[in-house]
Amino acid sequence: MNIKSFSVGPIATNTYIVVDGGEALAVDPGLGAADLLTGAAKQLGATIKFIVNTHGHWDHVVDNADLVGSTQAPLFIHSLDADMISTTEPNTFGLDVPWEPSYPAELLEEGSQLTIGSLTLSVLHTPGHSPGGICLLSHEHNLLITGDTLFLGTY
């Protein structure tokens, strides 16, 4: 298993690629992440199999449409945040960012599972930061991807 993280966009959003067995999971493609994630997958000899949003805030999803378009990978988000990514008028707190709505291929719920290679990640519904916030957990690898559920100094 290999994990790479990048800080992207005007408010330094964390985006991740998790690779195992030649397959990759892209997490939270913020502004500018699509090219970084596809480049990292290529460098690691992997194909992006899934794209997951840990929640629907604009800074974690703004490159969804670009990444889906370039990889044809399905996009997943929790059902309670799905409307946030398909809106035509996101709340970007006054920041001028490009926006194209995106549409999930599948809605996640507590207990959903995603598998890449031999790595299985379980979905934990962790509302608070947003109604449909999730974390991705692998007990086997002591791995927890938290999005903004755990956020130094605030959330």
Side-chain angles (χ1 to χ4, degrees):
M1 177 180 58
N2 196 333
I3 302 172
K4 287 188 171 254
S5 65
F6 305 94
S7 179
V8 297
I11 60 173
T13 301
N14 291 319
T15 186
Y16 303 91
I17 189 162
V18 182
V19 175
D20 193 75
E23 295 179 332
L25 168 69
V27 180
D28 290 344
L31 185 61
D35 289 341
L36 290 172
L37 294 167
T38 54
K42 184 177 180 179
Q43 178 187 21
L44 295 168
T47 300
I48 296 177
K49 183 177 179 183
F50 303 116
I51 303 162
V52 174
N53 297 145
T54 61
H55 64 290
H57 290 156
W58 70 270
D59 58 311
H60 288 252
V61 305
V62 73
D63 266 18
N64 277 350
D66 285 346
L67 192 56
V68 167
S70 66
T71 65
Q72 302 305 304
L75 173 64
F76 299 142
I77 191 168
H78 191 277
S79 60
L80 294 176
D81 277 10
D83 288 346
M84 298 169 89
I85 67 173
S86 61
T87 184
T88 56
E89 296 182 24
N91 181 1
T92 60
F93 302 102
L95 295 172
D96 184 25
V97 295
W99 179 261
E100 182 178 344
S102 55
Y103 305 94
E106 187 172 323
L107 299 174
L108 299 172
E109 301 294 338
E110 174 79 21
S112 297
Q113 294 191 331
L114 299 167
T115 300
I116 56 165
S118 63
L119 174 66
T120 297
L121 295 162
S122 297
V123 173
L124 303 175
H125 182 212
T126 53
H129 182 66
S130 75
I134 64 164
C135 294
L136 300 172
L137 173 66
S138 168
H139 284 292
E140 181 182 358
H141 294 281
N142 294 319
L143 172 65
L144 182 67
I145 299 171
T146 64
D148 282 355
T149 300
L150 296 177
F151 193 96
L152 183 61
T154 65
Y155 304 103

